[in-house]
Amino acid sequence: MTAATTTAAPPGAHVVPGGVRFALRTAAPDAWLVLMRPDDGAVLREIRMDRAPGAGGLHTVTVPGLVPGTFHYGFRVAPRPGGTGPSPVLLDPYAAELGGGGAWGERPAYRSALPDGSFDWGDDRPPGIPAADLVVYELHVRGFTRHGSSGVARPGTYAGLREKIPYLRQLGVNCVELLPVAEFDETDNTYTDPATGRPLPNYWGYNTVGFLAPKAAYAADRRPGGPGRELKELVKALHAAGIEVLLDVVLGHTAEGDRRGPLLSFRALDEPAYYLLGPDGAYRNLTATGNTVNANHPVTRAFLLDCLRHWATEYRVDGFRFDMASILARGTDGALLEEPPLLAEIAADPVLAGRRLIAEATDAAGAYQVGSFPHHGRFAEWNMRYRDAARRLLAGRPGSVAEFATRLVGSPDLYAGRPATASVNYVTCHDGYTLADLTTYERRRNEANGEGGRDGVADEDSWNCGHEGPTRNLDIRRLRERQARNAFLLLLTSQGVPMFPAGDELGRTQRGNNNAYSQDSPTGWLDWAGLARHRDLYTFVRRCLAFRRAEPVLRREHHPVDTLPDGWSLPPVSWHGEEPGQPDWSEGSTLLAALLHEERPLPGGPPSTVYLAVNSGHGPRALRVPDPPPGTRWHLFADTAAPPGRQAHRAGAEPPCPSPHHSLAAHSALALVARPLKSAL
């Protein structure tokens, strides 16, 4: 027996007194609920749903006696005018879990599921880290612990990642950004391994199937409700360790592809509302995936907002990184909007208040909104200009010194009138070369992706240090190691929010593959043996992170300027060269030196002052360092060309500098910190 709901209800499946209420929004005239057996998906019964009058195409039905976890479900809809026959069984866009996925790599037979949503969050509290203190660590849930060297009991899972929380704390990061964890079909990849002929996976997961459902194959416990519980346990444990959780969300396209792709839900429910279509009815492919979500259509806008609210409330995540966020700024005709309503609503939404919002301000159709993304005072951005400037400086390219100087102080040219933390700075991320490969390859080596080696970015401003690929030449290997230290020192002394991908601190390599989206293999996994092989680099990164935490001048919200404020002993930033006050901004310059100063970061406290110099040239440079603030002397924090063990010192235990004169080796960087004279040894 069923009782039809006649009033508007929230979409999806929801427990109500005595049963479960189902609600589906569709432009189709008729809809049916399909109840299925969880074990094999066999159809148990189909129930016609009632169209709620005046509710924008909402169809509802309440089924008494249903208990979460004991059934799967889907929907059928009648065809729109011109169609024939009812649709196949469709997924609920609002499904909180998808069943039928099986273990990783098994072809899924997806069905919607309603898990038992109960979870004891206990005294969970968001860490609430100030934006200026944030350090983002980007990782792939499976790849982080899948390698046999990870030493965890449940590799490749949320639980396995939870076992590595002590490592995250020891390293010193305080925020993890997870590559997509919304349900996706990893078997949805048309390419094969050219060496074996085996199908390649869609390993990264940028092809969302279930926008509100956690990826079940990332769970050690795949019983009904298990994936959601395990992900919540991970978030809760990270919070308890003082670590925030950001989700990389893919809202601009779906796993349905174009009309040649699988019919999962949106295409049958209301194709013109959910997808951008051209005048001829063909799909606009602005994402290079076959389809583009019609993000600013009222129906789709409401759905995407509900997705974000779900992750924020049900999973208590601390924020989102929006993949190809410029798609969310496009109108129903595909053109970029000056005032996209979706972005305004996300920024103003009370449920999302306090959540971090980070935009990848580009898309595959040529939009490049870095510095101009419609931010509403809420969105930060992945700063690709920082990435490019840092890489060019490390490689000693013309014009790179002046360009990076602007990036060092938080990119005020891009984020004027906004805090420096609007800039999420990075040198590498999951896209492109790892940091080790950035210093080893100038030519991508993507043949294993099955696309003839043509995929991925052709030129990443990389420099192989004089030899393409691995080498036994000790001088080149030492130079590559120094370049990695240079990159980390620059990143962690720059104004803005630093981000780096898991494994860069361990010398992780993808052997030149700069588009490892299909590499569920040692190429795409983190090899934890790197901790022993690259212990010096790991120690260097830990000490740089501790130094950043210790020095407020490196964590300023505002963009420092080179004018002297009243009552200050030094300006917030001053620029230098081989001699104090004589910077070289010429096109061929290879020396950048900056003195960063904050007079009183804490009321009544001492100043925080750091001197940074980087030499991207092929020969050494002799420096005379400017005077530190009165009552202080310079101490050496880092010299990336120093012997192992002396490349970076513990914060607060830096040795004093005996002289203002320093020799800066080729392709090296130096960081000094001013300490009160009374603390000098």
Side-chain angles (χ1 to χ4, degrees):
M1 175 175 138
T2 65
T5 304
T6 57
T7 58
H14 300 274
V15 176
V16 296
V20 175
R21 181 176 59 199
F22 300 86
L24 174 71
R25 192 231 163 256
T26 177
D30 297 299
W32 292 264
L33 169 69
V34 181
L35 294 176
M36 291 173 279
R37 194 163 54 205
D39 295 344
D40 56 8
V43 174
L44 300 175
R45 53 177 170 156
E46 298 193 19
I47 305 167
R48 188 182 187 91
M49 304 176 75
D50 286 342
R51 188 182 183 95
L58 196 70
H59 296 248
T60 62
V61 67
T62 297
V63 181
L66 287 183
V67 177
T70 64
F71 66 92
H72 287 166
Y73 72 99
F75 300 108
R76 292 189 195 274
V77 297
R80 301 191 70 198
T84 58
S87 72
V89 178
L90 307 173
L91 296 175
D92 180 1
Y94 281 84
E97 184 175 288
L98 293 185
W104 175 271
E106 294 181 2
R107 191 72 178 176
Y110 285 126
R111 303 181 289 274
S112 304
L114 175 61
D116 178 356
S118 62
F119 183 77
D120 182 9
W121 284 99
D123 58 356
D124 174 76
R125 295 288 185 276
I129 299 165
D133 296 346
L134 207 65
V135 178
V136 181
Y137 189 72
E138 187 198 37
L139 64 85
H140 186 284
V141 169
R142 178 173 169 83
F144 194 59
T145 62
R146 179 63 183 82
H147 198 280
S149 61
S150 70
V152 301
R154 293 157 291 187
T157 66
Y158 304 120
L161 171 52
R162 184 180 173 188
E163 293 180 65
K164 286 295 187 180
I165 290 176
Y167 172 82
L168 301 176
R169 294 194 64 182
Q170 183 183 50
L171 177 61
V173 297
N174 55 20
C175 177
V176 294
E177 181 176 301
L178 306 181
L179 267 66
V181 298
E183 186 64 62
F184 63 89
D185 178 6
E186 68 275 11
T187 70
D188 182 20
N189 186 346
T190 59
Y191 294 102
T192 57
D193 185 330
T196 66
R198 295 176 181 172
L200 288 166
N202 198 320
Y203 170 62
W204 283 349
Y206 289 90
N207 63 332
T208 312
V209 173
F211 282 74
L212 283 75
K215 176 62 178 170
Y218 283 171
D221 179 6
R222 293 195 299 275
R223 295 172 298 176
R229 284 192 300 272
E230 195 170 312
L231 178 54
K232 290 173 185 177
E233 288 166 354
L234 171 62
V235 173
K236 182 179 176 181
L238 285 165
H239 282 179
I243 299 172
E244 292 192 1
V245 181
L246 307 181
L247 300 187
D248 191 339
V249 290
V250 187
L251 305 184
H253 56 92
T254 81
E256 287 190 308
D258 57 23
R259 292 193 177 99
R260 296 168 296 176
L263 180 63
L264 299 173
S265 57
F266 300 106
R267 281 169 49 204
L269 295 176
D270 195 345
E271 187 177 57
Y274 287 114
Y275 294 115
L276 291 181
L277 306 176
D280 59 354
Y283 277 65
R284 296 183 188 270
N285 184 17
L286 309 182
T287 61
T289 66
N291 66 50
T292 306
V293 166
N294 192 358
N296 285 289
H297 187 286
V299 168
T300 310
R301 197 164 75 229
F303 170 70
L304 297 178
L305 271 168
D306 285 343
C307 292
L308 298 175
R309 292 173 183 138
H310 172 79
W311 291 106
T313 55
E314 189 68 20
Y315 288 88
R316 300 194 180 186
V317 300
D318 302 284
F320 306 92
R321 178 264 188 184
F322 295 84
D323 179 66
M324 282 198 283
S326 290
I327 291 296
L328 309 182
R330 293 189 180 272
T332 54
D333 62 352
L336 289 169
L337 300 172
E338 288 189 12
E339 298 182 4
L342 173 62
L343 299 177
E345 291 183 17
I346 291 173
D349 189 81
V351 177
L352 302 177
R355 298 310 198 279
R356 302 191 193 279
L357 309 174
I358 302 172
E360 181 189 31
T362 61
D363 63 25
Y368 188 88
Q369 296 180 297
V370 177
S372 62
F373 188 79
H375 58 86
H376 299 280
R378 290 277 282 117
F379 284 86
E381 296 174 12
W382 268 24
N383 190 347
M384 299 174 186
R385 292 276 297 276
Y386 182 99
R387 175 199 65 192
D388 298 343
R391 292 180 175 193
R392 289 176 57 78
L393 180 68
L394 291 167
R397 303 285 169 84
S400 58
V401 166
E403 169 73 6
F404 188 77
T406 304
R407 305 298 147 233
L408 179 71
V409 293
S411 298
D413 58 332
L414 302 177
Y415 306 112
R418 301 166 64 185
T421 51
S423 175
V424 177
N425 301 326
Y426 65 105
V427 181
T428 56
C429 65
H430 71 276
D431 269 325
Y433 287 132
T434 66
L435 184 57
D437 290 353
L438 193 71
T439 66
T440 305
Y441 299 94
E442 295 180 12
R443 180 179 65 80
R444 58 190 170 179
R445 296 168 185 266
N446 297 357
E447 290 76 14
N449 296 346
E451 301 182 45
R454 295 181 298 273
D455 58 302
V457 176
D459 181 6
E460 291 212 49
D461 283 316
S462 60
W463 178 45
N464 63 21
C465 297
H467 178 85
E468 183 71 6
T471 179
R472 294 182 179 179
N473 185 302
L474 289 179
D475 289 337
I476 292 176
R477 291 168 65 176
R478 290 188 185 109
L479 176 56
R480 289 171 176 174
E481 292 166 357
R482 189 187 312 160
Q483 286 284 73
R485 293 191 293 272
N486 292 339
F488 270 112
L489 185 61
L490 292 175
L491 177 66
L492 295 173
T493 54
S494 295
Q495 308 295 313
V497 176
M499 181 193 78
F500 61 96
D504 267 3
E505 77 279 14
L506 305 180
R508 179 176 171 264
T509 177
Q510 293 176 170
R511 293 180 286 279
N513 190 320
N514 74 344
N515 187 32
Y517 79 98
S518 62
Q519 297 303 307
D520 179 37
S521 67
T523 297
W525 302 338
L526 198 164
D527 181 357
W528 289 87
L531 186 57
R533 290 195 302 266
H534 300 279
R535 173 63 66 173
D536 289 340
L537 176 60
Y538 167 75
T539 299
F540 183 86
V541 175
R542 279 189 65 192
R543 291 183 174 177
C544 285
L545 286 165
F547 185 65
R548 183 179 178 87
R549 289 194 302 274
E551 292 304 319
V553 72
L554 304 178
R555 297 178 283 106
R556 294 185 279 198
E557 287 274 358
H558 57 276
H559 301 281
V561 296
D562 59 3
T563 55
L564 185 66
D566 291 341
W568 283 43
S569 58
L570 295 170
V573 63
S574 55
W575 304 102
H576 308 277
E578 289 191 332
E579 293 292 325
Q582 298 181 22
D584 180 2
W585 302 124
S586 68
E587 185 76 1
S589 174
T590 57
L591 177 65
L592 174 66
L595 193 154
L596 306 169
H597 177 74
E598 191 70 18
E599 189 73 15
R600 283 177 292 275
L602 296 174
S608 177
T609 309
V610 169
Y611 171 84
L612 176 72
V614 57
N615 174 16
S616 62
H618 295 304
R621 303 293 289 269
L623 305 181
R624 184 163 69 89
V625 177
D627 293 336
T632 70
R633 71 181 298 177
W634 291 119
H635 289 237
L636 175 65
F637 165 64
D639 180 350
T640 62
R646 290 189 285 165
Q647 295 154 351
H649 298 276
R650 296 183 187 275
E654 307 92 348
C657 300
S659 165
H661 298 280
H662 292 264
S663 177
L664 190 58
H667 304 293
S668 72
L670 175 78
L672 310 180
V673 60
R675 299 290 185 215
L677 284 171
K678 63 181 181 180
S679 68
L681 300 178

